[in-house]
Amino acid sequence: MKQFYAWLICSVLVFSAVAPASSVSAENTKEVDTKKSGAKSAIVIEQETGRVLYQKNADKELPPASMTKVMTLLLIFKALSKHQISLNEKVNVSEHAASMGGSQVFLEPGETMTVDEMLRAIAIASGNDASVAMAEHVSGTEEAFVRHMNREAKRLGLKHTRFQNTTGLPVGNHFTTARDMAIMARELAQYEQVFGYTSKYEDYLREDTDKRFWLVNTNKLIKTYPGADGLKTGYTNEAKYCLTATAKRNGMRVIAVVMGAGSPKERNKEIAGLMDQAFARYSTQKLLEKNNTVAVAHVNKGNPGKIDVVTGRPVILLLKKGESIKGFKKQTQIKKDLQAPIKAGTVIGYYTISSKGKTISRTPLVVKENIKRASWWQLFKRSAGSILAH
């Protein structure tokens, strides 16, 4: 066992335990060509690896309009995953939520809908009223939810993003970038359930009442682009036409963001062209599934003292078409001196794949379960057992 830990420590590299979704590369890539763009900024990434395939002014701060709701949806799905809310529970509509302008589903003060219905209103019809109602339901007030949005942006390492509301309605000091939107979308894409909403072209609210309301997806690519399954459009006079789009083909999902296009047609055409070229040039190969155990690590004063280290995402290689995976080097890097307690999901290392000295895949390694601090009695028994073993 001592030999194992000696090997484990030798494999450790110095790293900063940042959130896994913040790894969208800033490399100045132009691997996907595009015709001259009329949009103010754009970026294309592969979802699993976060590798940038194309970028134009990707760090330019711009108003995101309703693409803001990508973060709103992310926090809702995080709350669902932690069982803080459920799809079937009722959401009460406040006067404030019902007063929202712009895109809406015409919620009335005092009306109730389930979380599932609210998600459909947000993801399909971009309902501002539903966004605010859900923000109030999750955090108590919209203001508290917005503070949570900005905390999450900081956690993700978004350096050029600031939120003032949950909807994207025009307000000062509310901005993001194409790169930051791609990072948010990549994080949201971890919750596969979201695509059950964003991939629907149409649906209904209040279906069994005389106030039946038809929802039509604001993202027309869902109907016209093969493999499109999300994610969120945006438009205001200031922001112009924006879109964070996702599409999946042959197991590979591409995320493309366009901000400040002159028309919906121009926006959709550019997004489609960028994704077409990404799919034409690249493919992905899965080496390990998510939650695959790759090592065992020691946790100082932990209960238990040894933990399985698992992949936080699938281990994916992004390859140019026709490229072979022969000759790649795999390495497990785990932080030393782990101290209890540790929360489930904490990043404690990386599983890296390199070729010719260059890292081509870097997957976060996490703790699968909460690790509590051992009691003094447990620590005493371990110490005594260690002495007796010698």
Side-chain angles (χ1 to χ4, degrees), residues 75 98 106 108 115 173 185 258 313 322 347 375 377 379:
L75 295 187
F106 301 99
E108 298 179 359
V115 170
N173 203 33
V258 165
R313 292 177 176 269
V347 177
S375 67
W377 178 243
L379 294 174

Side-chain angles (χ1 to χ4, degrees), residues 38-52:
K40 293 179 181 178
S41 68
I43 195 168
V44 182
I45 70 169
E46 191 278 319
Q47 184 253 323
E48 288 290 356
T49 63
R51 184 172 169 185
V52 177

Side-chain angles (χ1 to χ4, degrees), residues 175-196:
F175 57 85
T176 189
T177 68
R179 189 186 313 280
D180 284 1
M181 281 305 316
I183 292 172
M184 284 181 259
R186 184 176 181 231
E187 184 76 358
L188 178 57
Q190 290 190 82
Y191 302 94
E192 285 280 340
Q193 194 177 12
V194 71
F195 296 107

